[in-house]
Amino acid sequence: MAEVTIPPVGDGSGIEESKRFLAEELQLALRNRAMPLEGLRWDITPTGMHYLLVHYDVPMVDASHWRLDVGGLVGKRLSLSLNELQRLPQRTLAVTMECAGDGRGLLQPRPVSQPWLYGGVANAEWTGTPLRGLLEQAGLGNDVREIVFTGLDRGFEGGHEQTYQRSLPIDTALHEDVLLAWAMNGAPLEPQHGYPLRLVVPGWYGMAHVKWLADIEAIDTDFEGYQQTSAYRYSQNRAEPGDAVTLMRVRSLMVPPGIPDFMTRTRIMERGPVELFGRAWSGVAPITHVEVSTDAGASWEDAKLDAAAGHHAWRSWRYTWDASEPGPYELCCRATDAEAHSQPLDQHWTARGMGNNAVHRVHVIVR
Amino acid sequence: MAEVTIPPVGDGSGIEESKRFLAEELQLALRNRAMPLEGLRWDITPTGMHYLLVHYDVPMVDASHWRLDVGGLVGKRLSLSLNELQRLPQRTLAVTMECAGDGRGLLQPRPVSQPWLYGGVANAEWTGTPLRGLLEQAGLGNDVREIVFTGLDRGFEGGHEQTYQRSLPIDTALHEDVLLAWAMNGAPLEPQHGYPLRLVVPGWYGMAHVKWLADIEAIDTDFEGYQQTSAYRYSQNRAEPGDAVTLMRVRSLMVPPGIPDFMTRTRIMERGPVELFGRAWSGVAPITHVEVSTDAGASWEDAKLDAAAGHHAWRSWRYTWDASEPGPYELCCRATDAEAHSQPLDQHWTARGMGNNAVHRVHVIVR
């Protein structure tokens, strides 16, 4: 085999000081879309508005030839067709899912990867069978520490040729809300969301929800695949392994009020009272309050929280702002969860641009 | 009212020489996604993989309060609910739709707007009632020259506050294949595709397929709205009105072979025979042939065309390439239609970046 050299991006450091974006970042953004912020208005995000992050290519899977294999340290290996899976007990859960890199493109200096600004998040209804039942059917060995999930998508990343793989610790994998999902919003998964089957792990960032799932393996070690030990890590430089990215950090977003300018997305609204509306979520604990600032964070007022729509779904909030004086404003929202985690005012900078949950800032001109 | 000043983009010229992209371009790309090129494999593009271009915000429409009004130079004004529309005769058509700006981000120098590279195109099945029937029911005056379509999406663009509006010449509007569509791929329109109703104009670039359609007006003049006379034009500088953008120019794309590198999208494939596959379309005339080059356009071979899947749907093509020697290759595809329009080797540069149908070039490393 000829050796393959993947050309470096930018200067190869993986960090971009400029506010200009590289062509490589743009082409990722055109593939991996955000939910537009007005999409926050829908309790359940319509399928085609759901954010998307696909590491390699979307595989075209013929479900009639596809099977899910369960192996490793199990008493009985399993191999199931989609029809067989769909005869197992099923549940439907509304789950807010966010890409761990959401907000990366706002960081300064900027880690070079999918350049999310806002909106790498959505809330969908997933239907499937609890993973737990399948693992019990297979019979886990006593020494099992992790469950490894392998998709069908293959590519290069960080110099490693790989099929996408992630693991879960055994206690998470056995949680009754972790699903093997074949439907999204009441319809079969669309290809880009993992058809025919994906993992859904409520509370975790998106990288854990393995798409095009084909293989499940029980192991008695800590999984050391690239996506686990190199890609999704919090650290201050890329050479350090740092800490694992797991649960979604507390965050809130608002629907930008008024109407936009097409090119700049500048917002323009009429003076007078306006209801600001948004959503808040945390993978760690329930949302307890959301605050709003209409003066760039100098002062804060409590927003009204609507009733929670489920354990794993974002929570809506609203705040009536009397925008009586024309001029430019910077609006902010900040959520806090039941474990007292609150969004920072400044960026949460890490070398791979993970978990940046700084407060959402929206610029609007009142006329 | 306070005067509103929208800040200029870049240096305000609307032209960007650099290969770096502006933050304004990136945020448009994150809203307005391309179909990933592997999406070409699906005859009918899954709804969530369909490209999207939304000028302002996606409106949240309550269909129970929505009506379609038909007025202007008609014998009888009409106002119909969605239920009333759905009782009219209906048709389902597979229609390839492309954004007129597709390929804009490849131009040098680059017009600043939605920075499409490839993939601002898709092919969906649209179900609705022919516009013609509704116009006949309303009774058009003898002097009617154009039909104006008004959506519910509002914003600023080019300094003009506006609701999105486009017109069609009367002969186009009366074509039996122009639909008022309420379903896409067999399901109600998703919000981002125009729920509850959009116009579908087979053969035309996407700007004609007005979404969130609320009003239809017959006029005896040439419509002079911003989107008609300023935005979608072919010219060599922005000051010139130039020519109207109408039908889709002939174009073809291929599924990049092999597997990608996540960040750079560099393609790597094994040596040996590989079937190159893609799609071709033209709004002007049927596709008659597609050629493939594996040496950056120095020589060309005919691809095999599959049977056409309908008058308005893209046509698939395939070509077996024996990639026997390792190394880097530049693959190209070029389509020709029945009126002998063929894709140019070099960019079709216009000041607003419209209709760039230059041959598709895919770089791949054979190992």
Side-chain angles (χ1 to χ4, degrees):
Chain A
M1 274 189 203
E3 202 168 321
V4 170
T5 306
I6 311 264
V9 174
D11 65 1
S13 70
I15 299 294
E16 178 55 56
E17 296 274 354
S18 164
K19 287 185 185 172
R20 298 284 179 107
F21 290 82
L22 302 170
E24 288 87 348
E25 294 174 288
L26 177 73
Q27 67 185 354
L28 280 175
L30 284 164
R31 287 180 60 83
N32 297 304
R33 65 174 184 273
M35 180 189 69
L37 289 178
E38 65 269 28
L40 292 165
R41 290 201 183 279
W42 281 265
D43 291 332
I44 300 296
T45 311
T47 299
M49 286 176 77
H50 199 286
Y51 94 87
L52 201 61
L53 192 291
V54 173
H55 282 247
Y56 313 123
D57 286 354
V58 176
M60 189 179 213
V61 181
D62 176 353
S64 69
H65 290 93
W66 171 93
R67 296 186 78 82
L68 176 68
D69 292 321
V70 183
L73 302 174
V74 294
K76 182 176 67 167
R77 299 180 65 86
L78 305 175
S79 179
L80 295 96
S81 70
L82 186 58
N83 283 340
E84 288 165 342
L85 278 163
Q86 291 175 339
R87 285 197 291 268
L88 298 175
Q90 59 180 261
R91 302 182 62 193
T92 296
L93 295 173
V95 175
T96 295
M97 194 187 300
E98 185 182 16
C99 181
D102 197 13
R104 177 185 292 123
L106 301 167
L107 294 173
Q108 292 183 325
R110 188 175 73 253
V112 175
S113 184
Q114 162 75 14
W116 296 115
L117 301 172
Y118 296 108
V121 64
N123 185 61
E125 280 189 332
W126 302 94
T127 300
T129 192
L131 171 64
R132 180 184 183 118
L134 214 63
L135 294 180
E136 287 174 347
Q137 195 180 325
L140 292 178
N142 290 331
D143 298 336
V144 170
R145 290 172 59 87
E146 295 197 346
I147 307 292
V148 180
F149 303 88
T150 304
L152 291 169
D153 43 332
R154 188 165 183 82
F156 282 79
E157 196 169 349
H160 302 270
E161 183 174 352
Q162 58 192 284
T163 299
Y164 190 86
Q165 290 189 304
R166 284 277 310 182
S167 73
L168 289 177
I170 185 64
D171 56 334
T172 301
L174 290 173
H175 192 289
E176 62 182 1
D177 291 349
V178 174
L179 300 182
L180 300 169
W182 55 74
M184 177 184 181
N185 296 342
L189 297 183
E190 291 197 356
Q192 72 280 10
H193 287 294
Y195 179 86
L197 193 79
R198 77 176 299 172
L199 188 63
V200 172
V201 191
W204 285 57
Y205 279 118
M207 75 282 157
H209 306 237
V210 178
K211 297 189 282 287
W212 312 291
L213 187 62
D215 190 85
I216 296 176
E217 191 182 5
I219 62 173
D220 60 1
T221 56
D222 293 336
F223 177 61
E224 296 195 338
Y226 175 84
Q227 303 295 342
Q228 206 82 15
T229 59
S230 296
Y232 288 97
R233 310 294 296 189
Y234 293 121
S235 69
Q236 290 302 301
N237 68 65
R238 283 187 184 241
E240 286 174 13
D243 299 318
V245 173
T246 58
L247 301 177
M248 295 184 294
R249 295 159 57 95
V250 63
R251 202 168 186 204
S252 60
L253 291 171
M254 81 171 72
V255 178
I259 60 173
D261 175 57
F262 168 67
M263 186 60 222
T264 63
R265 309 316 289 179
T266 302
R267 309 293 308 190
I268 296 100
M269 56 170 271
E270 308 302 325
R271 62 189 290 182
V274 60
E275 183 180 74
L276 302 179
F277 178 87
R279 306 278 178 173
W281 65 93
S282 163
V284 177
I287 293 295
T288 52
H289 60 285
V290 172
E291 300 155 285
V292 170
S293 171
T294 59
D295 55 9
S299 66
W300 296 84
E301 300 278 345
D302 280 344
K304 180 179 175 299
L305 279 178
D306 295 330
H311 291 305
H312 305 302
W314 56 22
R315 195 161 173 190
S316 58
W317 58 264
R318 52 194 83 225
Y319 174 84
T320 300
W321 173 38
D322 187 5
S324 54
E325 289 299 320
Y329 291 84
E330 183 178 315
L331 312 178
C332 311
C333 56
R334 176 169 66 182
T336 301
D337 70 22
E339 292 192 7
H341 301 291
S342 191
Q343 293 178 256
L345 288 172
D346 297 321
Q347 65 180 3
H348 171 72
W349 196 92
T350 64
R352 296 167 187 81
M354 298 291 172
N356 178 20
N357 65 336
V359 298
H360 185 196
R361 294 171 188 274
V362 173
H363 296 266
V364 58
I365 298 170
V366 174
R367 64 176 178 183
Chain B
M1 273 189 203
E3 203 169 319
V4 170
T5 305
I6 312 259
V9 174
D11 65 1
S13 70
I15 299 294
E16 178 55 58
E17 296 274 354
S18 163
K19 287 185 185 173
R20 297 284 181 107
F21 290 82
L22 302 170
E24 288 86 348
E25 293 174 289
L26 177 72
Q27 66 185 353
L28 280 175
L30 283 164
R31 287 180 60 83
N32 297 305
R33 65 173 184 272
M35 181 189 68
L37 290 178
E38 66 269 28
L40 292 165
R41 291 202 183 277
W42 282 265
D43 291 332
I44 300 296
T45 311
T47 299
M49 286 175 77
H50 199 286
Y51 94 88
L52 201 61
L53 193 289
V54 174
H55 281 246
Y56 313 123
D57 287 354
V58 176
M60 188 178 213
V61 181
D62 177 353
S64 68
H65 289 93
W66 171 94
R67 296 188 78 82
L68 176 68
D69 292 321
V70 183
L73 301 174
V74 295
K76 182 176 66 168
R77 299 180 66 85
L78 305 176
S79 179
L80 295 97
S81 70
L82 186 58
N83 282 341
E84 288 166 344
L85 278 163
Q86 291 174 339
R87 285 197 290 267
L88 297 175
Q90 59 180 260
R91 302 183 62 193
T92 295
L93 294 173
V95 175
T96 295
M97 195 186 300
E98 186 182 17
C99 181
D102 197 13
R104 177 185 293 122
L106 301 167
L107 295 173
Q108 291 182 325
R110 188 174 75 254
V112 176
S113 185
Q114 162 73 14
W116 296 117
L117 301 173
Y118 296 107
V121 64
N123 185 61
E125 280 189 332
W126 302 94
T127 300
T129 192
L131 170 64
R132 180 184 183 119
L134 213 65
L135 294 179
E136 287 174 347
Q137 195 180 324
L140 294 177
N142 291 330
D143 298 336
V144 170
R145 289 173 59 88
E146 295 198 345
I147 308 292
V148 181
F149 303 89
T150 305
L152 291 169
D153 45 332
R154 189 166 181 81
F156 283 78
E157 195 168 349
H160 302 269
E161 184 174 351
Q162 60 192 284
T163 298
Y164 190 86
Q165 289 189 303
R166 284 277 311 181
S167 74
L168 289 176
I170 186 64
D171 55 334
T172 301
L174 290 174
H175 193 288
E176 61 182 1
D177 292 348
V178 173
L179 300 182
L180 301 168
W182 54 75
M184 176 184 182
N185 297 342
L189 297 184
E190 290 198 357
Q192 72 279 11
H193 287 294
Y195 180 85
L197 194 78
R198 77 176 299 171
L199 188 63
V200 172
V201 191
W204 284 57
Y205 279 119
M207 75 283 156
H209 307 236
V210 178
K211 297 189 282 288
W212 312 290
L213 186 62
D215 190 84
I216 296 175
E217 191 182 4
I219 62 173
D220 61 1
T221 56
D222 294 336
F223 176 61
E224 297 194 337
Y226 175 84
Q227 303 296 342
Q228 206 81 17
T229 58
S230 295
Y232 289 97
R233 310 293 296 190
Y234 294 120
S235 69
Q236 290 301 302
N237 68 65
R238 283 186 186 242
E240 285 174 15
D243 299 319
V245 173
T246 58
L247 301 177
M248 295 183 294
R249 294 159 59 95
V250 63
R251 201 169 185 202
S252 60
L253 291 171
M254 81 171 71
V255 177
I259 61 173
D261 175 57
F262 168 67
M263 187 60 220
T264 63
R265 309 318 288 179
T266 302
R267 309 294 306 191
I268 296 99
M269 57 170 271
E270 308 301 326
R271 62 189 289 183
V274 59
E275 182 179 74
L276 302 178
F277 177 87
R279 305 277 179 174
W281 65 93
S282 163
V284 177
I287 293 295
T288 52
H289 59 287
V290 173
E291 299 155 285
V292 170
S293 171
T294 60
D295 55 10
S299 67
W300 296 85
E301 300 277 346
D302 279 345
K304 179 178 175 300
L305 279 178
D306 296 330
H311 290 305
H312 305 304
W314 56 23
R315 195 162 173 190
S316 57
W317 58 264
R318 53 195 82 224
Y319 174 84
T320 300
W321 172 37
D322 187 5
S324 55
E325 288 299 321
Y329 290 85
E330 183 177 316
L331 312 178
C332 311
C333 56
R334 176 170 67 182
T336 301
D337 71 21
E339 292 193 7
H341 301 292
S342 191
Q343 293 179 256
L345 288 172
D346 297 321
Q347 65 180 4
H348 171 72
W349 196 92
T350 64
R352 296 167 187 82
M354 299 292 171
N356 177 21
N357 65 337
V359 296
H360 184 196
R361 295 172 188 272
V362 174
H363 296 266
V364 59
I365 298 170
V366 173
R367 64 176 178 183

